[in-house]
Amino acid sequence: MKAAVYYENGGPDVFRYEDVPDPQVHRKGIVIRVEAVSIEGGDTLNRFRGALVTKPHIVGYQAAGEVVEVGEEVDNIKVGDKVVTTGGFGSHAELRAVPARTAWVIPPGMNVLEASAIPVPFGTAHDCLFEFGRMRKGEIVLVQAGASGVGVAAIQLAARAGAAMVIATASSDARLEKLKAYGLTHGINYQRDEVAGEVARITDKHMADVIVDPVGGPTLQSSIASLAYRGRVSMVGAAGREAMVVDVGSMMGGNRSLSGVFLGAEIATDRVHDNIQQLIQDVADGALKVLIDRTFPLKNAADAHRYIESRQAVGRVLLIP
Ligand SMILES: NC(=O)c1ccc[n+]([C@@H]2O[C@H](COP(=O)([O-])OP(=O)(O)OC[C@H]3O[C@@H](n4cnc5c(N)ncnc54)[C@H](OP(=O)(O)O)[C@@H]3O)[C@@H](O)[C@H]2O)c1
């Protein structure tokens, strides 16, 4: 098969488009013919500095397509099903092998490109808001990097759950403008305005009850400074690629909390698997929306990663083999 591979970490230029051996099916796994690769924030980070657990390495967490092989112990998925899959690596390819446990059947008639972009961003945003953020109706939610894949999902889920305000940050007004159609009530352009000061102004000093932070680094400090009394931050990523050196001194007096969230640790549990299947159904039913910014051919994976890192993408960028 063909795959977008690399032999060393670095910028998007490390990608090569090469022939590699087809992946083998595991007795508890499946192989899919990939129809859409959803480039996740973790894919750009892994290309930049992640471990090369295979060489050449095929990066990528998430892809959807048609099942072409099924392991002998798999009884809930069959050849010909359309599925969306996650795994530690291997999405940037024509074929992909994963455990059946991290595959979700796509409802008949659903757009495969949209389905390809659901499990990690929506599953993560859901856990950040509800499982770890304990968000309740009427609370104020702040989403850092609102234009990211996780961010667009978190904005919609918070709005759907009855947040009193859904505030998000982004690096430009144009990016924030696009989020209004997904439930954003107030945008903060952090290139121009200081985040905690703006949250205080917008909320009349109440601040944010629940904060989703996929950026980390100095941004995490702005999240902590934006917390309401008993507020909760779900720290879920390092998109900013900077060290997480934060001062938590303000947290004790306000009974505030900070949780780290890693979906991968629980993605194969019944709780998360069922939750993601429901989120896929919600998109199929039109109750949630997937925002696809643009698609690139798989052979142009470098251009796609470059485009994401130019900070122009809002929502997801896909690769099509
Ligand atoms: N722990 C978990 O379970 C889990 C699950 C999913 C994702 N994540 C992590 O969450 C983060 C976001 O994932 P995603 O898929 O939503 O990412 P994404 O769609 O690629 O978006 C990343 C966003 O981060 C913002 N950003 C801030 N500083 C940046 C920098 N220095 N370089 C590039 N972008 C920067 C950009 O928005 P602005 O330009 O508007 O600031 C960009 O849109 C990633 O670090 C990912 O690894 C973790």
Side-chain angles (χ1 to χ4, degrees), residues 39-45 61 120-121 124 145-151 169-172 175 190 214-215 219 235-242 261-264 308-309 311 313 315-316:
I39 304 177
E40 301 300 307
D43 299 355
T44 55
L45 279 183
Y61 289 139
V120 172
T124 300
S148 67
V150 171
T169 64
S171 54
S172 74
R175 292 164 73 66
Y190 68 81
V215 181
T219 299
M235 193 287 286
V236 72
R241 301 181 183 184
E242 290 179 79
V261 178
F262 176 45
L263 187 76
I308 292 168
E309 292 185 348
R311 316 280 280 272
R316 273 290 166 260

Side-chain angles (χ1 to χ4, degrees), residues 63-122:
E66 184 165 317
V67 178
V68 292
E69 258 187 286
V70 173
E72 63 216 29
E73 291 181 26
V74 177
D75 53 15
N76 61 333
I77 295 175
K78 57 185 189 310
V79 169
D81 282 347
K82 301 276 188 180
V83 294
V84 54
T85 66
T86 66
F89 54 91
S91 76
H92 288 39
E94 289 178 325
L95 295 169
R96 176 186 215 194
V98 292
R101 195 63 194 149
T102 56
W104 294 262
V105 175
I106 298 172
M110 185 179 183
N111 182 313
V112 174
L113 271 58
E114 289 188 358
S116 78
I118 297 172
V120 172
F122 279 86

Side-chain angles (χ1 to χ4, degrees), residues 167-218:
I167 308 168
T169 64
S171 54
S172 74
D173 291 339
R175 292 164 73 66
L176 291 166
E177 191 58 33
K178 290 184 183 160
L179 302 176
K180 288 185 180 161
Y182 297 84
L184 179 81
T185 59
H186 300 80
I188 300 174
N189 176 345
Y190 68 81
Q191 300 282 17
R192 186 185 56 224
D193 296 318
E194 192 263 319
V195 173
E198 275 299 285
V199 173
R201 187 185 65 76
I202 293 164
T203 65
D204 199 16
K205 298 196 179 148
H206 174 88
M207 309 305 279
D209 299 298
V210 178
I211 301 179
V212 179
D213 188 339
V215 181

